[in-house]
Amino acid sequence: MKNLGRIIVACSLALTTIFTTTSAQPLTSGQPIKSGENEGLSPLWFGMTYSNRPKGFAYISSEEYPDIFVWISAGFPEVRNCIFRCPFEKVGEDGSLIYGAPEEVMLPWEKKAKGKPSNFTIWQNGKGGDTYGIWMSSKKAFVAKLHPSGNFFTEVEEMAVEGTGGVGGLEMWSNDGRIVDYVVLSGDNAKYRPEDTAEDVAVSYYDGASIYRGELPYSGIFHSSFDLKTKVLTDDYTPITPDNRAILSGSGVMRVVDKKRGLDGYIMSSSLGSLKYVPARKSDEYGYVRNSEGLVLTHPTYGAKSMSFPSADGTRCDMIIGGEGAIYHYRFLGMDKESGMPKYAEPKVVLQRNADLFSGSLTVPNVVDWDSDGGLDIVSGNSEGRLLFFKNNGTNREPAFAMSQPVYAAGEPICIRPGYHVVQGPLEASWGYLCPMVVDWNGDGLLDVVTSGSKAKYELLLNEGTPTEPKLAAPHPISCDNLELWGTWRVRPAIAEIDGKMAMVIMDDDNELHLYYRVDDYNVADAGKLKLKNGQHISGHNQNNERYGQKGRGKLAFVDWDSDGKLDLLIGSVKRSSYPSPERGLPFVRFKRKQTGMQVMLLRNVGSNKNMKFEEPVQLQFRGEDFYLGAHSNAPTPCMLGDTSGGVNLLVGCESGKFFFFEHDDITTVTMDEKKSK
C-alpha cells in the first residue's frame, strides 16, 4: 500500500512543477488568465480544445530535443482537425521539457487527399533529414513532404494499401532512409455501443444486473513497409501480436528502441491509460509497462495518444503521451529484471512559456481564499476527477496564480472516477468530470467541498483542518429522506446561505432545477423545483439527444448579479442546450442549426431569497458579442478578482482547461426575443 500511495501522489503531482518565483499578471477582461509562474510557465495548450494527439517529431528548432507535432481532434470547430508544431526551447531545472507557443501547420487536404483519412504520423528521415506526413485509412495512404520551415506541406502523393481494418494508431521508422517500416494498431471490429433493439436499451447501456450490454473493443499490431522513393507497398500486413485482441480500447502504438539497454519492441496505449509492451522478437510475450518500483504504470488522463520520443542521447526510447488535458513526457529507465518489461519514470507535464493558466480539460473553478491568507485562490475540478489548488501569490486586483497543486482528502490526492458503471459505457471509467462547489457547508468557518460528477451523486468532503491548513475528509454521500441524493451527471450545484440555512440547487433526474435545504452535514430536505414567475419549471433540455448522458452537464452558481439583495442564478450551458424549454429557450434557439450554442445564462430572481421566482433567462455577452468559450462545456463562477468597482466579476472555466475573466461592466445581455446569431 505504501508503494501504491507513492504512485497515486506522483500522478496527482504530474501537473505540478515547483518554481520559486511568481509574478503578478494584470487581468484582461474577455481573455484567459495568464500563468503567474516565473516565465509564465504552464502546461502546453492548443487553443479551444479538450483533446490532443501527439503525432510525431522533427529536429527543426533545436538539435537538443525535437519539435513536437500535435493533432487537435476535438473542441471548437475552428481548431478541430488542425496540426500544430510546438518549437522546443529548453529543459527546465527539474528536467521538464519547455516549448514555445504552438504554431499551426497548413494541411494538404486541398489537393489530392480529399476527405480526412483516419490516422497519420509525422516522421523525420534521420536527424535533420526530410520530414514527411503520412495519412492513412484502410485503403489509401497519402504521403506529404514538410517544408523546411515546418509550417506547411509541399506535396501529396497517393498510395494504395490493403490488408487491415480501421487504423487506430500508426508509427513509422526507417533503417536505410528509403524503405519505411510502419505498424498500425487495428481493432477487432467489435461494436462497442449496443443496438437499440429493446425498449429498456433506450434508457441504459446496462442490463438489470448492471452488466454492460455491448462488446468491448480490442486491438492488435500489424506491420508493413513501403518504398519512400516509389511510394509502393513492399510487404503485406503481418501481425505482430498473436491476434487483434492485445489491448482493450487501443488508442496508439509506438516503436521504442534502445538496444544497449535491451529495449526493442512496441508500446500500445489505450483510451483508459493502459500501456502494454510487445517485444520485437517474442511478440507473444507482451505485458504491462512498469514504473521505477516495478509496478504497472498507467497514464493519468483519458484517451492516451502516444508516440515514441528521443531521449537526451538520441535513442528512440522515451514516450510522449497526450489525450484529454496536458501532454506528458515519460523517460525510459531501463528494463525490469523480474517482468522483462520496460520501466519509465512517472510522467512530467510538457510546459510552455508565457502561457495561460491550465487546469486540465473541462475545468470547473471556484474562487475562494483556500488558505486564508487574504488572497483569492482558484480551486478547480476537471475531467480527470481531480481537485486542484491554484495559489494566488499576488493580490486580488493583480493575481499571480501558481501552477496547480493537488487537494487531498483522507490523506490521498482527490481523484473521483465512476469506474465500470458510467452512463455512456465502461470505456468512460476514467472520466471523473469533477464538479465541485467550495463553500462553508456547516457554518464552522472552514471551507468544505460539495461535489458531483460522472456518478451524478452528491457528496460532501468535510473540512476537518484549520482556516490556514484545510484538511478534507473522505467523500461522504448527501442524502434526502435516507436516500442518497442523485441528479443528472456532471452538474455543479449552486449553494448559498438563505436565512441562516444552506440552500442547494441541482439538476434533478427530470433535467430540471431543483432546490434542497441543508438539515445537517449529510442530509438535505426537498424544497421542490425552481420555477419561473409564470410557474414554468426550468429545464436544461439538450437538442442533441436526451439519452446516453446528454442530460445534465450544466454548471450552476448563485450570485447577486444586480446588487439588489436577491440571489440570482448563473448557468453554464452545454452544446445545443436550451433553458428553460426546448421550444423557447437560450442559448440554442439563437444559433444556426449546426452551431454549438454553448453560453452562460443568467436567471434573475424577481421573488425573494426565501421564495425564489425567476424571469426567463438572458444570455451573457462580452461587449455585445457571444462568449467564445469552446464547444462542449463551461463553468461560470462569480469572483472579486480584478477591478470590482462595477460589481462582481465573472470567471469561466472552459473545456480547454483555461479560465476566462470578464469584468462586470463589460458583460451585456441578450434575451430570447432579440436578434438571433448571424
Side-chain angles (χ1 to χ4, degrees):
M1 291 300 292
K2 186 177 180 181
N3 289 338
L4 179 60
R6 289 196 196 121
I7 294 167
I8 294 172
V9 170
C11 286
S12 299
L13 292 173
L15 285 178
T16 305
T17 306
I18 299 176
F19 296 91
T20 57
T21 304
T22 57
S23 58
Q25 297 292 324
L27 298 171
T28 302
S29 185
Q31 297 296 315
I33 291 180
K34 305 295 290 186
S35 168
E37 292 286 357
N38 183 35
E39 297 185 89
L41 290 173
S42 190
L44 187 65
W45 61 272
F46 301 92
M48 302 307 291
T49 179
Y50 60 92
S51 183
N52 61 76
R53 302 184 179 190
K55 288 297 183 180
F57 61 85
Y59 291 89
I60 298 175
S61 304
S62 169
E63 293 187 357
E64 182 179 7
Y65 276 101
D67 298 355
I68 299 173
F69 292 84
V70 179
W71 170 261
I72 303 306
S73 60
F76 211 81
E78 286 86 342
V79 179
R80 193 181 306 140
N81 298 325
C82 294
I83 299 174
F84 289 88
R85 178 175 63 86
C86 310
F88 174 77
E89 292 197 353
K90 64 179 183 178
V91 177
E93 294 181 1
D94 69 335
S96 298
L97 302 179
I98 299 174
Y99 284 78
E103 302 172 6
E104 186 175 354
V105 179
M106 301 306 295
L107 293 168
W109 304 129
E110 309 307 324
K111 296 182 179 179
K112 296 182 181 180
K114 296 180 180 180
K116 297 178 175 63
S118 59
N119 218 316
F120 75 94
T121 188
I122 292 177
W123 166 72
Q124 188 172 37
N125 194 359
K127 191 173 183 178
D130 292 333
T131 302
Y132 298 88
I134 299 95
W135 289 260
M136 187 169 291
S137 67
S138 59
K139 297 181 179 181
K140 291 183 178 181
F142 303 95
V143 183
K145 190 175 181 180
L146 186 70
H147 188 270
S149 67
N151 295 326
F152 61 95
F153 291 89
T154 58
E155 59 188 59
V156 176
E157 297 186 59
E158 185 176 318
M159 180 176 65
V161 297
E162 57 184 19
T164 188
V167 180
L170 178 65
E171 175 79 306
M172 295 193 175
W173 69 97
S174 178
N175 295 317
D176 62 6
R178 175 169 175 175
I179 302 302
V180 179
D181 291 276
Y182 69 97
V183 289
V184 299
L185 191 68
S186 187
D188 62 356
N189 296 315
K191 187 173 182 178
Y192 175 52
R193 303 296 193 192
E195 296 183 7
D196 293 349
T197 57
E199 184 178 349
D200 56 350
V201 179
V203 187
S204 175
Y205 286 138
Y206 300 83
D207 65 18
S210 293
I211 303 300
Y212 186 62
R213 299 175 184 268
E215 301 179 61
L216 295 178
Y218 287 80
S219 300
I221 306 175
F222 297 81
H223 171 272
S224 188
S225 60
F226 67 89
D227 189 313
L228 186 61
K229 184 177 181 179
T230 64
K231 308 299 187 298
V232 174
L233 195 71
T234 57
D235 285 322
D236 294 331
Y237 280 102
T238 57
I240 299 294
T241 54
D243 53 39
N244 57 358
R245 292 183 60 82
I247 189 168
L248 172 64
S249 189
S251 58
V253 61
M254 58 190 129
R255 176 80 191 281
V256 287
V257 182
D258 186 349
K259 293 185 178 181
K260 290 183 179 180
R261 291 191 283 175
L263 178 70
D264 186 4
Y266 311 92
I267 292 177
M268 301 173 285
S269 62
S270 83
S271 63
L272 294 173
S274 182
L275 299 169
K276 284 187 172 180
Y277 175 69
V278 182
R281 294 185 177 181
K282 296 182 178 180
S283 59
D284 59 336
E285 297 183 4
Y286 56 88
Y288 293 97
V289 173
R290 306 295 174 120
N291 67 6
S292 60
E293 298 180 343
L295 300 176
V296 171
L297 179 68
T298 57
H299 188 62
T301 67
Y302 182 83
K305 308 294 182 181
S306 55
M307 74 176 194
S308 59
F309 192 72
S311 61
D313 62 3
T315 54
R316 188 172 174 154
C317 57
D318 286 1
M319 299 187 295
I320 292 288
I321 303 181
E324 283 206 7
I327 290 178
Y328 295 82
H329 176 216
Y330 292 76
R331 296 186 186 274
F332 176 58
L333 301 177
M335 304 300 289
D336 184 72
K337 294 181 180 180
E338 182 176 345
S339 66
M341 296 294 108
K343 294 195 300 183
Y344 284 84
E346 297 294 342
K348 286 185 177 293
V349 68
V350 178
L351 299 174
Q352 177 185 334
R353 285 197 317 114
N354 302 318
D356 299 330
L357 202 65
F358 180 84
S359 184
S361 64
L362 288 97
T363 184
V364 182
N366 296 257
V367 179
V368 294
D369 186 2
W370 182 246
D371 53 6
S372 296
D373 64 353
L376 290 172
D377 313 299
I378 297 174
V379 178
S380 181
N382 63 20
S383 66
E384 300 171 42
R386 305 189 189 277
L387 191 65
L388 303 175
F389 166 51
F390 298 81
K391 181 175 176 57
N392 183 1
N393 291 307
T395 65
N396 293 337
R397 188 178 180 92
E398 294 190 358
F401 292 107
M403 282 197 291
S404 64
Q405 304 174 38
V407 179
Y408 288 71
E412 297 288 345
I414 294 171
C415 186
I416 302 175
R417 293 176 171 175
Y420 173 83
H421 194 275
V422 62
V423 63
Q424 292 183 339
L427 293 188
E428 293 199 6
S430 60
W431 262 328
Y433 292 123
L434 195 65
C435 298
M437 175 59 70
V438 182
V439 64
D440 183 3
W441 175 247
N442 58 4
D444 64 354
L446 303 176
L447 290 173
D448 313 299
V449 180
V450 178
T451 189
S452 182
S454 289
K455 296 190 293 183
K457 177 181 177 180
Y458 289 89
E459 297 178 301
L460 171 68
L461 289 80
L462 193 65
N463 191 346
E464 298 175 334
T466 67
T468 57
E469 295 185 6
K471 184 178 179 181
L472 298 180
H476 190 289
I478 295 174
S479 296
C480 181
D481 292 333
N482 206 32
L483 184 68
E484 291 182 353
L485 183 63
W486 295 76
T488 47
W489 76 329
R490 298 165 59 178
V491 173
R492 180 187 63 190
I495 301 177
E497 184 178 344
I498 298 176
D499 291 341
K501 295 192 299 183
M502 299 304 293
M504 179 170 71
V505 175
I506 69 170
M507 297 183 72
D508 62 22
D509 56 4
D510 294 321
N511 218 34
E512 296 177 342
L513 301 185
H514 204 121
L515 175 65
Y516 296 86
Y517 280 102
R518 178 184 176 275
V519 176
D520 61 25
D521 286 354
Y522 305 121
N523 290 277
V524 294
D526 190 346
K529 297 177 186 286
L530 293 184
K531 298 178 182 179
L532 300 180
K533 62 182 181 181
N534 64 5
Q536 180 183 349
H537 292 171
I538 305 169
S539 169
H541 185 89
N542 191 300
Q543 299 282 350
N544 275 340
N545 194 330
E546 292 289 0
R547 297 177 295 172
Y548 311 145
Q550 296 302 329
K551 291 184 178 181
R553 301 173 182 242
K555 310 300 185 287
L556 313 177
F558 279 123
V559 61
D560 183 4
W561 187 253
D562 46 13
S563 302
D564 63 355
K566 300 175 185 178
L567 289 174
D568 309 305
L569 195 63
L570 289 171
I571 304 175
S573 72
V574 299
K575 55 186 178 181
R576 298 180 178 88
S577 59
S578 287
Y579 296 82
S581 70
E583 298 80 18
R584 180 173 173 82
L586 290 172
F588 186 73
V589 296
R590 293 190 60 253
F591 290 76
K592 294 179 181 179
R593 188 171 184 179
K594 294 184 178 181
Q595 292 181 315
T596 56
M598 187 200 73
Q599 298 289 317
V600 179
M601 305 293 101
L602 174 67
L603 289 167
R604 287 193 171 92
N605 183 3
V606 293
S608 65
N609 289 337
K610 194 172 183 179
N611 185 21
M612 294 185 218
K613 296 179 182 179
F614 297 93
E615 292 181 337
E616 286 188 326
V618 295
Q619 177 187 318
L620 301 188
Q621 295 184 310
F622 177 66
R623 299 173 184 171
E625 299 292 332
D626 294 335
F627 287 171
Y628 190 85
L629 301 172
H632 197 274
S633 179
N634 78 96
T637 186
C639 70
M640 299 302 288
L641 295 171
D643 183 358
T644 59
S645 59
V648 61
N649 295 324
L650 189 67
L651 187 75
V652 185
C654 301
E655 62 189 15
S656 62
K658 296 186 286 189
F659 306 105
F660 277 77
F661 172 77
F662 300 93
E663 283 190 2
H664 189 99
D665 287 347
D666 289 328
I667 297 176
T668 53
T669 62
V670 62
T671 70
M672 300 177 193
D673 299 317
E674 292 183 78
K675 186 177 180 180
K676 294 186 178 182
S677 176
K678 299 180 180 180

